[in-house]
Each structure stands twice: as C-alpha cells, then as structure tokens.
Amino acid sequence: MKVAFIGLGIMGRPMALNLLRGGHAVTVWARRAESMRPLAEAGARTADSAAAAAANADLVISMVADAPDVEQVMLGESGVVDALALRDPGAPPLVAVDMSTIAPAAARRIGERLAARGISFLDAPVSGGEVGAIAGSLSVMVGGDAAAFAFAQPALACVGSRVLHIGASGAGQVTKAANQILTGVGVLAVAEALNFAACNGVDAGRVREALMGGFASSRILENHGQRMLERNFAPGFKAWMNQKDLNIVLQSAHQQGVFTPLTAATSQFFNALVGNGLGEEDSIAVLKLLEGLSGVAGKDEGSAS
C-alpha cells in the first residue's frame, strides 16, 4: 500500500518506521524538515506539503497534536484535500486516517467535511505511548465507515497489536477519551500512593512490589510506577498532552451533561503541573507536584514548590 504519513513527533516517527518495515511504500511530511531525515534514511520518500504527500497515496495517516492541526493538514492550504487536484482522475477514492487525540465532535466535523470532498475519514487514536509506538504494539480505536476500516486495517496492523473498529465516526475518539480517564486518574493514583508511602518513611519500591501481587496491580503501577521510582521523567507522553486530553473529556462531558468528578479533579492536578513549568516532562512528573504539596520537594531540579 502507498501510505502518506503526516506528523513525525514522538509517536509518529516510530509508527511511520513500522509501516516501512511492514513493506508499505511510505511518503512523509512534517513541518520541520529535520524530522523527516530519519525516515528518509530508512527508505521513505519525503514531500514538501501534506498535499504532495497524499497525491499518489492510497491511504493518508496523520499523527499531530490537536484538532486545529488535524484540520490544517487535512483541510487547510496545501492540505490533503488539495491532493485531489494532483491525483490521477482514475485513482480510487482516498482514505484518510487521523491517529491524533482530538475531541469526538471535532472528529465528526472533520469527517463530514472530508466526505463532502469524496474522502473517507477514520478517527483512530491510539494508546500505548512511545514504547508501544516503537514496538508496534499500540491499541488502535477506530471510528468511521466499516469499508474504509477494512481497507486501512493492513496498514494499521503495522502500528498496533490490537486494532478495533468501535463504531461510527467519532467512536474512536470517545473510546480514547474513556482511556484517558482511566490512565490520567491512574497515573495520579500511583503517584499519590508512592508519595504516601515515602512520606510515611516506608520504601516506596517495596510497597510497589507488594501491590503488584494484589488487586491494585496494573500496567500503570508496573511501568509508570517503576519510572517514578527511577525518577525518570523523560517524556514518553508529555504532561501538557495529558492536560489537553483531560480537557477534551471535560468538554465532551459538558456537552453531553455527563458527570465526571474524578476527571475534573485529576485535570486540576495536570493544570497545576503545567502551571509549574513541568508541561514538557512526562505525565508521571505529577509525582513532583504531590511531593511539593507534601513538603518534600527538591529531589529533582524543577520540582514543584
């Protein structure tokens, strides 16, 4: 399959590499030319715009920051819709897949505008972080037309070990929002538990080890808990992105009149984390915020105070 891949950040770069390894012909575009260099060295073609990348593609995949970015690369000047004028008149209809995390309503709106131009659109956000993107083991949650999903599935299988069609347009983003409730609250809960243990003079590592054997065990406790113990705050999923995703949940909940008290409380912690200048660190840096509020800040440069 000829795939155009747009957006080569922490997640997009390894995902595009896995498409290459899967035997697909990949053309990439990113705003920064240096982001494309590793892909070019791995065998991908490069383009000078999203439209140029999509011109000869069967499938277009975007992995960018937020809804305005998706709208720009899909519908803006030199975006995917402008590729229609560059394509062979006999070419099959183009399928576009956005794997970013955006609001469900935004996904539906973008899908409707693309459908009006003859482009099928799937919202297909992912979970699994940078580690999953590198391993090709992401969970991919897809909303949109079933036929478009069947067409895109071979490519999606290169980036995810679990690829599920959830339902109509926007369903993928609703699923991702539910995922972010669980992971956002979970990261805060693990940080709170480990900080509680440490503040009581107990070895947090031993506490984690004990909890891993009971009902409190989780992948968040296993992976992120270990990184908290190692003080490894290098970004796999930046705190400002978690803040953004929780805001998506709250906005969608407000529109539907849904009560989400845990998300609201967790969102305030990530607002504070970003406000303390830690937005570029991993979400697990919420541990620093809790330490600061507990009077034990200073273990790391830049800890919240």
Side-chain angles (χ1 to χ4, degrees):
M1 189 179 294
K2 292 180 288 186
V3 181
F5 201 102
I6 300 166
L8 300 171
I10 289 175
M11 298 290 289
R13 188 180 303 114
M15 291 166 69
L17 283 170
N18 282 328
L19 284 163
L20 279 169
R21 294 182 184 119
H24 299 286
V26 180
T27 301
V28 298
W29 179 74
R31 291 190 179 100
R32 295 183 300 144
E34 59 268 27
S35 297
M36 296 188 281
R37 194 169 299 119
L39 275 299
E41 292 171 353
R45 288 186 164 189
T46 61
D48 59 9
S49 69
N56 296 307
D58 304 310
L59 181 73
V60 179
I61 297 175
S62 59
M63 185 56 154
V64 292
D66 205 351
D69 305 288
V70 179
E71 290 187 286
Q72 179 59 42
V73 300
M74 291 290 175
L75 297 157
E77 184 177 355
S78 297
V80 170
V81 290
D82 285 351
L84 298 176
L86 305 174
R87 292 171 65 80
D88 187 321
L94 189 59
V95 175
V97 182
D98 177 53
M99 307 190 80
S100 319
T101 298
I102 64 176
R108 296 186 188 103
R109 181 177 66 248
I110 293 167
E112 289 170 359
R113 293 179 63 187
L114 288 172
R117 301 293 299 273
I119 299 173
S120 296
F121 178 74
L122 300 172
D123 54 289
V126 302
S127 179
E130 183 184 15
V131 172
I134 292 170
S137 61
L138 295 168
S139 176
V140 186
M141 317 155 210
V142 188
D145 178 70
F149 170 73
F151 178 80
Q153 191 170 18
L156 299 180
C158 292
V159 302
S161 58
R162 183 184 293 263
V163 181
L164 293 177
H165 183 237
I166 307 299
S169 181
Q173 295 296 351
V174 170
T175 307
K176 180 58 185 289
N179 181 86
Q180 297 309 84
I181 294 173
L182 291 171
T183 56
V185 172
V187 166
L188 178 59
V190 169
E192 185 170 312
L194 296 184
N195 183 60
F196 172 80
C199 288
N200 277 278
V202 177
D203 185 335
R206 297 290 287 172
V207 170
R208 172 186 167 277
E209 184 178 352
L211 297 180
M212 285 296 298
F215 277 179
S217 179
S218 69
R219 293 181 68 180
I220 293 175
L221 179 62
E222 180 182 4
N223 298 326
H224 293 322
Q226 182 61 37
R227 294 183 65 213
M228 290 177 191
L229 294 173
E230 295 169 353
R231 316 296 294 179
N232 177 12
F233 301 109
F237 185 60
K238 293 182 179 180
W240 73 262
M241 298 181 74
N242 212 328
Q243 178 196 40
K244 182 263 293 184
D245 291 355
L246 292 173
N247 283 337
I248 287 173
V249 175
L250 293 176
Q251 290 165 14
S252 299
H254 178 73
Q255 291 166 359
Q256 300 295 326
V258 177
F259 185 45
T260 53
L262 293 180
T263 303
T266 302
S267 178
Q268 289 302 309
F269 278 90
F270 282 97
N271 287 344
L273 190 62
V274 173
N276 272 270
L278 298 173
E280 290 295 318
E281 295 195 16
D282 193 274
S283 293
I284 66 168
V286 71
L287 176 65
K288 294 184 180 182
L289 185 68
L290 291 170
E291 289 170 342
L293 293 170
S294 303
V296 292
K299 293 182 180 180
D300 303 276
E301 184 180 350
S303 291
S305 59

